[in-house]
Structures are given as C-alpha cells and as structure tokens.
Amino acid sequence: MSKEIKEDSNTDDIDSLLDEIAADNKQPDDSSSHDEPDVRWKSDEPAQTDKKHSEKVHPEKKKIRLFDNDEEDDDDERHPETFRELFENIRNDTKDQWHDFYTQFQKDRKRRKEKKQLEFYGGKPPEDKSARSLYIGFYAIKKFLSIVATTIFSMLLIFIITGTIVGTVVTVYILSFMDTTTAITLKESKESFSSYIYSMNKETENYDLVYRVTPTDHDVRIRTDINKLPDYVKYAFVCTEDERFYSHEGVDYKRTAAAVANLALKYIKLSDTYFGGSTITQQLIKNVTQDDEDTWDRKMREIFSAMKLEKKYTKDEILESYLDTIYFDRVDSYNMYGIEAAAIGYYGKPAAELTIAEAATLSAIPQNPNKYNPTKDFEENKERKEYCLYKMFELGVISSDEYEEAMNQEIFLTTMPDFEDTHPDYVHLTESNDDFENPEIIPWDVDTAIKEFGSYLKEKNELDSIEDGIKMFNSGGYKLYLSTDQDVQTHLNESYADWSNFFTDTDENGEKVQSSCVVMDYKGHILGIAGQIGEKETNLGFNNAIDAHRQPGSTIKPVTTYGYAIENDKITWSSYYYDRALEAGVATNEEWPNNYDGKPSQGYYPVNYFLKRSINTLPAQIAFNNGLQPIFDFATQKLHLELDPTMDLDYSPLCVGGLHTGVTVVNLANAYMPYGNGGTYYKASIIAKAEDSKSGELIIDNDNRTGEPAVSDQTAYVMNKLLQKVINEGTGTAAQLSNTTVAGKTGTTENWHDITFVGLTPDYLSAIWVGYSNGDNSYAIEAQNSARIWTRVFGTYANEHATDAKFPECDKVIYARYCSQTGLLANPGCPGGDYGYYKSSNCAYCTSH
C-alpha cells in the first residue's frame, strides 16, 4: 500500500508540503554548528518514533510549546503537543485517507463508464467497429433531440412565466385605469348648446328671448327630441356608424379587432382603406370630452367611459345625445352641430320631416364632414349615401321598395340655385334660434344675471373665480329666466341716462358723480337695476350696484342697533335717552360720536325722534349697553348684511355706517326686506329660475323658494312704522309720495363722500347710492338730498304704478299714547304725549303718574 502511494505524484506533493511546514517550524540549535538533518517520512512509522528519535539526537533541546509559559510545568499531559507531533499525526492520517479516497474514486469511475456503455449499446458493447459507430451516431442523435426538447420546454416555461407576469401587470393596469376613469354624464353634453336669457313680457305673459350666447361665433347647436324623429332617421346613423349599437355594451370588440387588422394592413401597404372601430357611444364620449389625443391612453379612457355610460343610460338616451353633438360641417359660414341644425342647414326643414334619402345623406357626413359635405362634393356624398341606404336595406330597416325609391330620389340642398323659389317656406339657419340677434351692448339686468349665474356656477362647481363661472355659462347649455320687470328696467335705464336727475358738478380730480340703484319685490326678485349714470358702454364691466362696496352712513342704523334693540325688547318706540356722546376712551380717545349737524344737544328724546332726525348718539349708547357682538351677529346672521368680521366689529361701523369696505346697494336694500314683508328674508336675485337647456332640469327655482324668518312680525311692523316717521317728519320728507305709503331711511357719510337712501313702498323695495368712486373732496354732494334723488330716479315711477297693496298688518302690536316723561304707555294721569307702536312683549305702563 505504501509503495502505491509513493508512486502517486499527488501523494508526494502532500508529503513534501507537510515536510516544508515542519521545517519552517523547526527551531535552530544554538549549541550546535552542524546542520539539522533533513527528516523524511519514508515509512508508516508512528509519530512517537520520530519524537523519540528527535530527543535522542538532541537530548539537550526543550519541548517546543504551542504557548509560551514562564514557569515549568512537570505535567506533560497539560501542555499542548509540539508542532512536529501534530505534523506527524496529520501526515499519517492524510496518507491513509488519500489512499482510500483515490482507490474508491478509480473504482467508481470505472463502474460509471461501464454503466454508460451498457446504456448506450443496450447491453454489451458490440465488438464490430462499424456497429459501434452506428450506435454512436444514434446516441448523438438521441442526445441532440434531448437537448432540443429541453430547450423547447425551457423556452415554453419562460414564455408561460413571462406571459403570466405581463398578464398580471396588464390586468392591474386596466383595473387601476378603470378606477381612475371619470364617468361621463349626458348632462355634460350641455356644453354643446347655446345659453339663453329670457325676460317676462307683461303683455303676453310669456318669456321673450333677450340674450343668447354660443360657445363659438357662427356655431348653431339645436337640441332635438329623439321620440319625434322617424325611426329611419335614427337608424340611418346606427346602420352606418355602429350596426351592433343595440347589442353591444359600449364597445364593439369585433369591429375594434377589424379596425386594428385594417390599420396593420394599411401600415404594411396592403390596404389603402381606413375605417375606425369606435361605437356610437365612444364617439359621443369623444364629442362631449373633446379628448381626441391620438394615444392608447386616450383610447382606453374612451372605452372605459363608454362602458360606464352604457350602464347608466338607455340606448335611446345615448343615441339622442349623439345626434345632438355630431358635427356636420358648414353651410353659409355656420358650423352645424346636431341633426336638427344639419337638417335646417342642408334642407331648410326640421329633422322630423326628413325623407329616407335625406336622412342617409346626413348619415354619410359624420365620418369625414369636410369630404362628405354635399354642398362641397355632391358626388362623394352620393356614393357614401348609397352605401348607407344599402346598409339600411341589408339590416332590414327599410324595404326593397323604400330602398329603390330612396336611391332614385333627387336631393335638393339650400345652397342650390332656385332653392328658395321651389321651397318658399324653408327655414334658414339664422332663423333657427328665434331669428334673434344680441344687442351690441347688453342691458344692466342681463349683465347682472350673467354675473350672478357665474357666481352660482363658481360655488356649485368649486371654481376659482366668478370669471370661470361666466366662462362655463358662455360654453353653453343653460336657460336663465329673469325676474326683471321690463317696465321698471326701462324706467331705470331712462332715469340713469338723464344727468338732470343728478347733478353735474365734478370733484377736485375732475370726476363726475356716479350712482346706482336697485328695485326688488319683497320675495327677493330684482325687478330693475342700474349700475351707473350715463350710457352703458361695456358688457360685464363695473356695476356700481353689485360690484361697488360703498359706505351706507345712517342707513345702517335700522339694520344694526335699532333693529337689534327692538327685536330683543331693549328699547321701545318711546324709550327716552339723552342726546350725549360716549365718554372718552369707550369708542375713541375722545367723546364720540358727534351728530352730522354738530355736537350732541344733551336733550332728552324718545327713540322715534332719534331715528327720524338721524341722531348718532343713541345707536352708540345701544351698542355700549348691549355689546357689539350681539348687534353684529343680528345684522349679519338675521339680515345677512355683508360685514367684515374683523374690521366692522366696532362702534363706528355698527352705529354710523363707517364700514371698512362698505356694502353693495343690493345687499343694503336686501337687509331692509323683512321690514316690508312681515319679517321674512329672501336673498336678492335677478334670476327667477334657471334650467339645463339639454335635460330641462330646473337647477334654480327662486319663484317657489321659502323665505327665512329674520325678525318677528311685531318687530317688522314697529320698525316699518318708525321708518314711515322718517319720511313723514324726519330727514326723508323729500321722498313722500301722493299715491302710496313710503318708509325709508337716509344716509350720509362723515365727509359727504357718499349719500344713500333706502325706500320701501308696499309694491317695491329700493335703494340708491350717489357719490364719487375715487375722489376725496365731495363738497358737491353736501347740498344734495338722497331722498330727493331717489324720488326723481324711481319714486315717481313707484307713485305712478302704485297698487292697492298695503304693508303687512300685525294685530299683536299695540298702538297707544305714551307718557311724555317716562316713555312708557300712558295712564290717564300721565302728561300728554304722542302715539306710538309697541310690541306686546314690551309695552309696560307708566306707574309714575
């Protein structure tokens, strides 16, 4: 065994390696000069023999320890072995292990070789060399086929795994895409229709069209009712554009696949034709969204939106919207949208009167409007029309006789010579919308309605600005019905065109005085409005009645301090107060306020006197006694006065109308409304109602709304009587009318920059502002009286058109004489006093006399 190992080169290498390691670790002997003999392992002698031999050759040499110890340890078993001993053990163990391993390896190698030969030859290998070659050839083929099969299987497995991954990703993408696809509603197709504004005609009691806006100039968009169309008219489009419309669910997969195949053939130049795969539903989605981006994402959005639309609406609803939004090219420079506009444009008659041939002519256009417009290329249209008729016949929509008749029918178009002579009753596109043309400059009521509706759309659709709301209105699809009384509006237009109703002095900057006025009924309907003096020069420009925030002066008192105090039983008609200012340090650093005609008189007067003479000191005392916050809340929450919650919560704004930015004339008049109708608030609006012009849905209905209780009927009645006293005995005497009762309040700002008046008659609630928009020196107004200007501008009209209407009565209010000393209801012994009106909850009798 030892001999065999020696002969093996690998074994010699291991022996040499072990000898080298041992030699490297051998320590030199300092006491001997002769060389250390080279120790070679030549036999299977145990390691102990070499150890003894080494000790005999070098008896004086110490044992080499694996770890250095300073102290001797007599117990050898406790010390580690020397490196040599370790190497000797490793050498003998390794020799035995290597021999066993090598012998076994050779045996295994021989056995594997024999096994392979047996497998290859199917038994004992043949002795004949040619037979062996044949076997080898078969083996090579078998091996090759095995490799090929393995490769194919691996590729198939890779394909399956890759396909699964891709399929999963696509599925996740589609599902996520479906979740994010916006559902389209047919109401959105309203953007394809004009918007209209109507005003009531009192003579005919019908609404007259006063304004129309279309999304684009020269666009004609007319809604149709599919139930009024002959079946062959709507089926002409179904047969031509989407023959499986009534069976698919928004997407025609057969047609889509055919369109993709056609596109591929066209791409490799094997086809020169083109047709799309979109269904009528998909085309409607595209028309409504105007999303025509040529991408797969757009197509996916269109597909999913179509599927959602089909689940929400009936087929006829979808088809009707489609027929209303199709583009039919131009006639006489008008863009025609919808079958109704196309029927009028091409044939001069409604779509309900179309013949089969005429319907087919129109159904030929949508695929390529410019190409198939019959007024541009009659032959191109005729060729496609005949295809449309054939499809209608093929699908059973028309009979063979109808098909032949339609094929032979002569087509007459509005653009053909002598058409007007042969069709004298035809309808022209310009007449399709009531033959109406907008005025170059629209009147104030229309201007106001557009802004108001723009504000409504801003709030409803969470837009950024009113301008965005106006753009949405201009995109089409709405009908607004105004509350305007055209007689009132005409009167205001004439009044504000006449400078003699005002005064022509200018301020130091050369600016002329300006004014605005609003008239409404007691349910919040604006009957007339004027935004400036002089000729209206722009559309949707600055309107002083709704855009300008002006200082109201003393007209704020009845809707803040006096209104709060009477509603909450803090004062009565005849509660007595001294005309004196608040002490310094309360409202300002000095005593405040003064009256408009000078310092407080220090006199002792009842409430009705303070109000009719517009004395400033009592409102200040009411605010001091009751607190600013309750008064502010009353004005803003009950009467909806639009005040600044930070800057107007103070004495000057709430007591004398010195507001931070001011209020509009409309808002000021609106706050007075409960004092003329028994205590109910209706928000002012010039829109009586508004409709979605496509669906007919009523989206605003101010005619049937319910008012909001603002003050009690007793408060409203008492305040109305106090305001009548202002007109009859106070600062507003210039507003007295002969045929009707007037209640009202004047207002003047501290520097005469603005003057205001609010006037109430049983028929009308109105307000006026006069002042300068920018000037600081307003000396010209000082000699003017707001009540007198109101009378010239509107009071005379109110007097001439007064009815038998009366302000609401309230039998709970007590009309009685009051004590001239205490202000309480008088007893027989009380000194003589005037009569007043008292709420039943606040009518104490005098006990002093």
Side-chain angles (χ1 to χ4, degrees):
M1 180 181 296
S2 297
K3 184 177 180 181
E4 291 178 0
I5 294 176
K6 283 184 179 181
E7 291 176 351
D8 187 269
S9 59
N10 291 332
T11 306
D12 292 340
D13 291 340
I14 293 175
D15 289 342
S16 300
L17 179 61
L18 292 174
D19 286 340
E20 289 174 5
I21 293 173
D24 290 340
N25 284 275
K26 184 176 180 179
Q27 298 297 327
D29 187 5
D30 296 335
S31 61
S32 174
S33 60
H34 61 271
D35 295 332
E36 182 73 20
D38 186 16
V39 179
R40 295 286 183 179
W41 293 326
K42 304 214 183 259
S43 66
D44 294 330
E45 295 176 351
Q48 187 63 33
T49 304
D50 291 326
K51 179 180 179 183
K52 291 181 179 179
H53 173 73
S54 176
E55 290 176 349
K56 288 180 180 179
V57 174
H58 304 286
E60 73 283 2
K61 187 175 180 180
K62 301 288 187 181
K63 292 181 179 178
I64 300 176
R65 301 178 184 274
L66 210 55
F67 303 100
D68 293 332
N69 290 317
D70 294 336
E71 299 179 358
E72 280 288 347
D73 193 341
D74 295 333
D75 188 0
D76 291 343
E77 294 182 359
R78 296 181 60 187
H79 294 283
E81 296 176 303
T82 62
F83 279 113
R84 185 64 192 179
E85 291 173 331
L86 290 175
F87 293 150
E88 287 173 350
N89 291 333
I90 292 172
R91 185 200 70 168
N92 289 299
D93 291 343
T94 303
K95 284 164 60 179
D96 294 341
Q97 292 173 3
W98 176 255
H99 177 269
D100 293 341
F101 168 76
Y102 183 76
T103 301
Q104 188 62 40
F105 172 77
Q106 293 293 351
K107 291 179 179 179
D108 291 343
R109 182 178 180 185
K110 183 177 180 181
R111 186 168 55 251
R112 285 195 300 271
K113 183 177 179 181
E114 292 175 350
K115 182 179 180 182
K116 285 185 177 181
Q117 288 180 342
L118 291 173
E119 290 176 353
F120 178 75
Y121 295 109
K124 184 178 180 182
E127 299 293 337
D128 190 287
K129 290 185 178 180
S130 60
R132 287 191 180 187
S133 299
L134 183 60
Y135 272 109
I136 292 172
F138 285 144
Y139 179 79
I141 294 173
K142 178 182 176 183
K143 193 71 173 179
F144 173 75
L145 294 176
S146 175
I147 294 171
V148 170
T150 302
T151 303
I152 292 174
F153 177 76
S154 299
M155 292 179 65
L156 180 61
L157 189 61
I158 292 172
F159 178 79
I160 292 172
I161 294 173
T162 304
T164 302
I165 294 172
V166 172
T168 302
V169 172
V170 170
T171 301
V172 172
Y173 171 75
I174 291 175
L175 290 175
S176 63
F177 204 100
M178 289 182 68
D179 290 338
T180 57
T181 300
T182 303
I184 303 298
T185 65
L186 294 187
K187 291 181 182 179
E188 294 181 41
S189 65
K190 65 178 177 287
E191 297 182 359
S192 298
F193 299 90
S194 299
S195 286
Y196 305 88
I197 299 180
Y198 301 90
S199 182
M200 175 62 73
N201 185 321
K202 294 173 69 174
E203 294 182 0
T204 64
E205 296 186 350
N206 294 318
Y207 279 102
D208 291 340
L209 179 66
V210 294
Y211 184 73
R212 182 185 70 239
V213 57
T214 55
T216 308
D217 290 342
H218 297 286
D219 283 3
V220 179
R221 307 166 187 265
I222 309 173
R223 183 170 63 90
T224 189
D225 184 348
I226 196 171
N227 295 318
K228 296 180 180 180
L229 296 178
D231 286 343
Y232 58 76
V233 173
K234 60 183 182 180
Y235 290 150
F237 290 86
V238 173
C239 294
T240 307
E241 295 293 320
D242 185 6
E243 63 183 69
R244 284 176 287 276
F245 172 69
Y246 284 100
S247 60
H248 65 63
E249 296 182 352
V251 182
D252 187 343
Y253 296 103
K254 180 179 179 180
R255 182 178 176 86
T256 301
V260 172
N262 173 261
L263 184 63
L265 292 174
K266 185 177 178 66
Y267 180 77
I268 60 177
K269 303 188 183 303
L270 293 180
S271 173
D272 59 357
T273 62
Y274 172 79
F275 64 87
S278 295
T279 62
I280 283 177
T281 313
Q282 289 174 259
Q283 292 179 53
L284 174 60
I285 296 296
K286 186 176 180 179
N287 292 339
V288 170
T289 63
Q290 296 296 306
D291 186 1
D292 57 359
E293 184 182 4
D294 189 16
T295 63
W296 284 106
D297 277 357
R298 195 274 302 173
K299 198 64 178 178
M300 292 289 287
R301 288 194 297 271
E302 182 184 282
I303 288 172
F304 290 132
S305 295
M307 294 168 67
K308 289 183 178 180
L309 198 70
E310 289 271 354
K311 293 179 179 179
K312 190 172 183 179
Y313 298 98
T314 66
K315 288 290 185 179
D316 275 356
E317 286 175 329
I318 293 171
L319 183 59
E320 181 182 72
S321 292
Y322 170 75
L323 293 176
D324 280 343
T325 58
I326 309 173
Y327 178 54
F328 286 92
D329 206 48
R330 298 167 66 89
V331 168
D332 291 341
S333 76
Y334 287 92
N335 294 307
M336 296 171 294
Y337 291 88
I339 189 173
E340 190 71 17
I344 294 172
Y346 287 115
Y347 302 115
K349 59 184 177 181
E353 299 177 11
L354 292 173
T355 65
I356 294 175
E358 289 169 342
T361 301
L362 295 184
S363 70
I365 299 174
Q367 186 185 74
N368 191 331
N370 185 57
K371 179 180 179 181
Y372 295 118
N373 181 337
T375 65
K376 293 180 179 179
D377 195 327
F378 189 83
E379 292 303 319
E380 283 281 3
N381 176 272
K382 180 181 178 182
E383 182 179 343
R384 181 157 176 81
K385 176 200 72 174
E386 291 175 351
Y387 164 77
C388 298
L389 288 172
Y390 175 76
K391 291 297 294 183
M392 294 173 71
F393 168 67
E394 180 186 45
L395 296 172
V397 172
I398 57 177
S399 66
S400 59
D401 291 339
E402 289 173 324
Y403 171 69
E404 291 296 333
E405 181 181 353
M407 287 289 287
N408 295 319
Q409 180 185 333
E410 188 175 359
I411 299 296
F412 292 95
L413 302 173
T414 57
T415 56
M416 290 180 174
D418 303 326
F419 179 84
E420 294 185 30
D421 295 335
T422 56
H423 299 78
D425 298 328
Y426 91 104
V427 181
H428 193 272
L429 276 173
T430 56
E431 300 172 1
S432 62
N433 289 307
D434 303 313
D435 194 19
F436 175 82
E437 185 174 349
N438 288 328
E440 184 177 351
I441 301 298
I442 58 178
W444 287 112
D445 56 340
V446 174
D447 203 295
T448 303
I450 294 174
K451 288 186 177 182
E452 181 181 320
F453 195 65
S455 178
Y456 164 80
L457 292 176
K458 171 185 177 294
E459 296 299 323
K460 180 181 179 181
N461 298 282
E462 299 182 351
L463 305 176
D464 292 334
S465 64
I466 294 176
E467 288 71 23
D468 289 338
I470 294 174
K471 289 179 182 178
M472 190 171 180
F473 168 76
N474 288 337
S475 71
Y478 302 99
K479 290 182 179 179
L480 308 184
Y481 298 86
L482 303 186
S483 60
T484 311
D485 182 324
Q486 285 301 318
D487 290 341
V488 173
Q489 185 62 51
T490 299
H491 176 81
L492 290 181
N493 291 343
E494 294 172 352
S495 295
Y496 270 77
D498 186 358
W499 279 94
S500 66
N501 288 323
F502 305 91
F503 51 94
T504 58
D505 290 345
T506 60
D507 70 357
E508 61 182 5
N509 297 318
E511 180 189 3
K512 284 187 176 182
V513 71
Q514 264 303 336
S515 176
S516 63
C517 179
V518 64
V519 179
M520 62 182 78
D521 64 17
Y522 288 100
K523 287 194 173 182
H525 298 112
I526 294 177
L527 305 177
I529 192 167
Q532 69 178 29
I533 306 173
E535 184 180 357
K536 189 174 186 291
E537 299 175 347
T538 61
N539 293 330
L540 300 177
F542 192 80
N543 183 336
N544 283 300
I546 60 174
D547 298 324
H549 289 73
R550 306 302 184 190
Q551 301 299 328
S554 292
T555 51
I556 203 170
K557 296 173 183 176
V559 292
T560 54
T561 53
Y562 285 117
Y564 166 80
I566 291 176
E567 172 70 1
N568 292 280
D569 294 340
K570 304 296 183 181
I571 61 173
T572 68
W573 178 282
S574 56
S575 299
Y576 270 81
Y577 289 88
Y578 286 99
D579 177 18
R580 60 188 177 197
L582 300 178
E583 295 179 357
V586 176
T588 67
N589 293 330
E590 300 177 352
E591 290 185 351
W592 184 90
N594 289 325
N595 296 321
Y596 77 96
D597 57 354
K599 291 184 176 297
S601 67
Q602 305 300 318
Y604 191 57
Y605 308 110
V607 165
N608 68 85
Y609 180 84
F610 279 93
L611 181 59
K612 74 180 182 180
R613 302 303 303 170
S614 198
I615 298 174
N616 293 333
T617 54
L618 179 55
Q621 293 178 51
I622 292 173
F624 176 75
N625 293 335
N626 297 280
L628 295 171
Q629 189 67 58
I631 296 172
F632 182 89
D633 292 344
F634 170 81
T636 56
Q637 296 175 18
K638 294 293 186 179
L639 302 181
H640 299 277
L641 204 60
E642 296 172 355
L643 305 180
D644 188 316
T646 56
M647 304 300 294
D648 291 336
L649 187 58
D650 207 345
Y651 281 96
S652 179
L654 296 178
C655 300
V656 296
L659 302 178
H660 177 58
T661 57
V663 293
T664 66
V665 170
V666 172
N667 182 228
L668 179 62
N670 207 170
Y672 273 77
M673 183 178 295
Y675 299 152
N677 66 8
T680 305
Y681 175 87
Y682 296 86
K683 185 175 182 179
S685 174
I686 202 166
I687 300 173
K689 60 181 179 179
E691 293 178 354
D692 181 323
S693 62
K694 174 62 175 65
S695 67
E697 177 187 359
L698 194 64
I699 55 180
I700 294 177
D701 185 9
N702 288 329
D703 285 339
N704 297 302
R705 60 181 171 168
T706 302
E708 173 187 335
V711 297
S712 69
D713 55 347
Q714 294 188 61
T715 296
Y717 187 86
V718 171
M719 182 59 73
N720 185 278
K721 291 297 185 180
L722 283 169
L723 294 175
Q724 288 183 37
K725 202 168 184 66
V726 173
I727 302 301
N728 296 330
E729 303 174 15
T731 58
T733 55
Q736 293 178 7
L737 300 177
S738 59
N739 294 331
T740 188
T741 304
V742 181
K745 183 71 184 75
T746 58
T748 305
T749 57
E750 185 176 1
N751 59 0
W752 294 91
H753 188 277
D754 307 274
I755 57 175
T756 54
F757 180 81
V758 179
L760 298 82
T761 71
D763 299 301
Y764 305 105
L765 166 63
S766 59
I768 187 174
W769 163 83
V770 180
Y772 292 96
S773 300
N774 301 307
D776 294 327
N777 184 359
S778 304
Y779 63 92
I781 297 182
E782 188 170 356
Q784 304 301 319
N785 183 292
S786 60
R788 184 177 298 111
I789 296 176
W790 173 84
T791 302
R792 290 198 295 259
V793 169
F794 178 69
T796 53
Y797 179 91
N799 194 53
E800 292 171 2
H801 294 80
T803 66
D804 295 333
K806 303 293 182 182
F807 286 116
E809 295 291 336
C810 183
D811 56 11
K812 292 177 286 187
V813 171
I814 298 171
Y815 178 67
R817 188 173 65 90
Y818 61 88
C819 176
S820 60
Q821 293 182 359
T822 63
L824 301 175
L825 269 62
N827 285 310
C830 289
D834 203 350
Y835 282 80
Y837 296 87
Y838 301 87
K839 293 172 61 179
S840 59
S841 57
N842 192 18
C843 57
Y845 281 84
C846 177
T847 59
S848 299
H849 303 92

